[in-house]
Each structure stands twice: as structure tokens, then as C-alpha cells.
Amino acid sequence: MHAHPTPASLSSTGADMIEPPTDEDLMLAYAAGDIAAFDTLYARHRAPLYRFIARSLSPRASADECFQETWARVVKARQRYRPDAKFSTWLYQIAQRLMIDQYRRQRPQVSIDDETAPMHLPIDTDAHPERQLSRFEAVRQLQQALAELPVEQRIVVQLRLEQELTLDAIGEITGVGRETVKSRLRYAMDKLRARLQS
Amino acid sequence: MNHDTDPPMSPQERAVADALAQLPALEPGPELDARIQAQARAALRAKPRARPGSRLRWLNAGLGSAAVAVLAAGIAWQAGLFTLDESTQRAPTTTTSFPKKNGTRGVAPRNRCSTGRACIVQRNRHAAIAGRSGSSRSATCKYGA
């Protein structure tokens, strides 16, 4: 474990800072009272974390609620935080548990709502309309196929293929062993392939 | 983390990863951002509260100590270790006598008084008073002897 910089050193934006502070440093600095450290940490993780949650929870209000609750727990647990594991692993652990709780409570039908619909894809104006349509259709099918996966498999697919985390990190987040992660990923890929080929 | 031992993505996994990257970008709205950051600021401003239950623990400790003290005092009282102050406990001026079988008066045994009844409850008090005054004959018992 390396020595963590003081909150003051994290808040400063001096040119003497060569390497950006790690997530763990930022979290410790926030716990010590540095709000700028929290802002940096939040800016780093807001978009990937929100994507992770919103792909599994629908409607958007549920995703918003789960996202806010995840950060609320980070804030609440700041004094107890110990950088034994990566901050991101801890963050996704919290989110993953909340997602599964909410999913089981509501049994939501993961739908392609307005904001995630393929028509919100950036339009390639040079592309042929038929090719554009085909692309929309491919995206729609992928979203539908993802939505049909069991939640545990969908989470593994997202963490591995979208967030590009290691199998061990996914195991830590989901609380299962590496072999289980591999197995879930394999089953999910088989289902996706079958669904997309049909 | 064990990056080195992770197998590389298969072509199929890579294709799905690329397709996922094409999905519409999702981000929290500005109101949600503002709510979360306000929450983080408010948490720092909030006065740190005593850990839940700490007040209750002090109360329990106080009550426990008081109960132990009362119990100890009760045991000591029963064992005769406490007596009334000697100035308020007037020693009898007359010697407690006990009739001997041959008609002469003798001294009462320590656990008997002049009434001739066994004075078991007061026995220890007899002993304690007798110990201070030097003689069990100056003791009184619950029968008033």
C-alpha cells in the first residue's frame, strides 16, 4: 500500500502534479473533507456506471434511482472506506447489488425505451438509407437479445464486453468465482449468438 | 487483478463488444448530477453524529454499576458487615443473662438470647457487635433481649 497524498495536495491543480491521483486517493481525500476530490471521482465514473445500470434497468427513473442510491452509499460509507480493493470494484459491487435487488423486486421488462432506441444513434449521412436501416435493426436486435438474458449473465456481459473488466474483477464485483464468471459469459454468448442468428 | 491470465476476447466477443459500443450513449441528466453532488457536499457539512447506541451503552453501564452496588450492599448487610453507628446503637447497660440449669445466671450463647430462642438471623450481628464491644453479652437481638 502506497502512501496516500493529503487532501490538500489532491485539491491543488499545480503543475507539479505529474500523475493524476488514483480513485483510491480521491476517495480517501473526500473522506477527509475534500469535496473537489469527490467531484473528480464522480466525473470519472458517472457515465460508465450510469450506462452499466441503465442497460439493465428500465424505465429510466429506475436507473436514476439506482444510480443515485449507489452514490449515496459511497458518500455514507466514506469514513469506513479502506483502499483494500480498487475503488471501481467497490463501486460496481454496490451498483450490482442494488440492480439485482431492484430487478427482483420489480421484475422489470427491460425494454428499449425512447432514449435507448436505435433512432438515437448518430446518423451517418453518407450511408445508404438501406444500410442505415440495417444498422438500426442490428442494434435493436442486440438490445433485445441483451434484454432477454438472465440478469446475472447480462451483468457479466456488460462488465466484460462493455466495461472491459478482467474476469477476476468481475468475480469480485458479482461475488462469484472466476470459473463461474467464465461459464456465465459462455452461456450468454451462446444465447446472444442464437438470438441474433434467428 | 489478474490481467495476464485473462484469455483474449474471442472474435465473437469482440464483435459484441463493438456492437455494444455502438449503442446509444447513456448518461445521467444534469439534475441527477446536481442532486448527487449536493448530497456529497451536504454529507461533509453535516455534524458527525455519535455512533448509534453509544448513549444507550453508557446508560446500560450506569444501570449495571448501580445494580452491582446495590447487590453488594445487600449481601454485606445480610452478612452483618454493616451495623448502625455505635452512638445511635446504645449498648445495653445490663448484661444479658441466661439462666443456668443449677439456678445461677450465666452468659447467653452467641446464637441465643435471653428469650431462649435461637436467634439465627441476628447471630452474625451479635458476633459483629460482640467483636467490637468485646463481649457478646452487650448485644441485642430482634426479640429485644
Side-chain angles (χ1 to χ4, degrees):
Chain A
M1 190 81 49
H2 59 280
H4 293 282
T6 62
S9 69
L10 291 174
S11 311
S12 68
T13 54
D16 56 328
M17 285 188 66
I18 298 166
E19 287 188 4
T22 64
D23 290 345
E24 294 74 34
D25 292 336
L26 290 169
M27 185 62 201
L28 289 173
Y30 170 59
D34 183 355
I35 191 62
F38 179 85
D39 290 343
T40 308
L41 198 58
Y42 182 70
R44 277 184 194 175
H45 292 281
R46 60 184 277 284
L49 180 69
Y50 190 81
R51 233 178 359 255
F52 172 63
I53 294 171
R55 294 248 190 274
S56 282
L57 290 179
S58 182
R60 179 141 187 167
S62 294
D64 283 5
E65 188 188 329
C66 184
F67 181 75
Q68 186 171 349
E69 181 60 23
T70 302
W71 285 104
R73 293 196 182 190
V74 168
V75 166
K76 196 174 176 187
R78 67 191 183 283
Q79 299 292 353
R80 298 193 304 274
Y81 175 74
R82 297 287 174 273
D84 300 330
K86 282 182 73 176
F87 171 80
S88 58
T89 302
W90 180 54
L91 181 68
Y92 280 81
Q93 256 174 3
I94 298 170
Q96 190 257 167
R97 285 188 197 130
L98 289 170
M99 279 164 64
I100 289 186
D101 284 351
Q102 195 153 339
Y103 185 84
R104 288 179 179 156
R105 203 166 49 238
Q106 298 181 346
R107 288 276 170 197
Q109 292 299 310
V110 178
S111 59
I112 302 166
D113 61 25
D114 288 346
E115 289 192 64
T116 57
M119 61 276 290
H120 286 268
L121 286 171
I123 295 174
D124 181 1
T125 50
D126 294 334
H128 194 274
E130 283 183 11
R131 198 179 301 159
Q132 194 79 265
L133 194 63
S134 167
R135 186 171 160 234
F136 283 170
E137 183 58 21
V139 168
R140 193 190 66 79
Q141 281 188 355
L142 175 62
Q143 285 180 312
Q144 198 64 47
L146 278 173
E148 288 172 7
L149 290 177
V151 65
E152 291 84 3
Q153 291 178 17
R154 186 165 61 240
I155 284 173
V156 169
V157 166
Q158 284 181 253
L159 292 174
R160 178 66 175 154
L161 305 182
E162 196 171 24
Q163 310 280 339
E164 301 200 356
L165 297 181
T166 63
L167 297 176
D168 289 324
I170 297 169
E172 279 186 55
I173 290 169
T174 55
V176 296
R178 180 188 168 87
E179 289 307 311
T180 306
V181 173
K182 283 167 77 175
S183 154
R184 284 181 183 174
L185 186 62
R186 193 168 54 247
Y187 280 122
M189 291 306 297
D190 289 347
K191 284 180 189 166
L192 284 178
R193 187 173 51 218
R195 178 71 172 76
L196 295 175
Q197 281 174 353
S198 62
Chain B
M1 300 294 158
N2 208 349
H3 296 266
D4 296 337
T5 56
D6 270 1
M9 281 189 198
S10 67
Q12 191 192 14
E13 287 173 351
R14 176 50 60 195
V16 173
D18 291 343
L20 285 171
Q22 297 291 314
L23 291 178
L26 292 169
E27 288 199 0
E31 299 87 9
L32 186 55
D33 283 342
R35 274 207 301 275
I36 291 167
Q37 287 173 316
Q39 208 169 23
R41 280 167 171 72
L44 289 186
R45 280 196 303 269
K47 195 178 171 184
R49 288 185 302 175
R51 287 173 62 195
S54 61
R55 188 173 295 175
L56 195 61
R57 268 198 298 277
W58 278 109
L59 185 65
N60 284 343
L63 286 176
S65 303
V68 168
V70 168
L71 186 65
I75 290 170
W77 178 263
Q78 285 299 315
L81 297 180
F82 289 158
T83 56
L84 295 175
D85 189 293
E86 284 188 33
S87 61
T88 57
Q89 167 105 26
R90 287 182 59 202
T93 51
T94 57
T95 300
T96 303
S97 58
F98 191 73
K100 277 186 175 178
K101 282 182 181 174
N102 60 5
T104 58
R105 298 184 72 83
V107 176
R110 286 171 79 106
N111 62 346
R112 285 180 180 273
C113 60
S114 58
T115 62
R117 295 146 88 181
C119 198
I120 296 168
V121 175
Q122 298 289 77
R123 182 178 53 199
N124 289 326
R125 293 189 66 200
H126 278 298
I129 295 166
R132 274 211 306 267
S133 61
S135 167
S136 64
R137 286 176 293 182
S138 61
T140 57
C141 77
K142 66 178 177 180
Y143 302 116

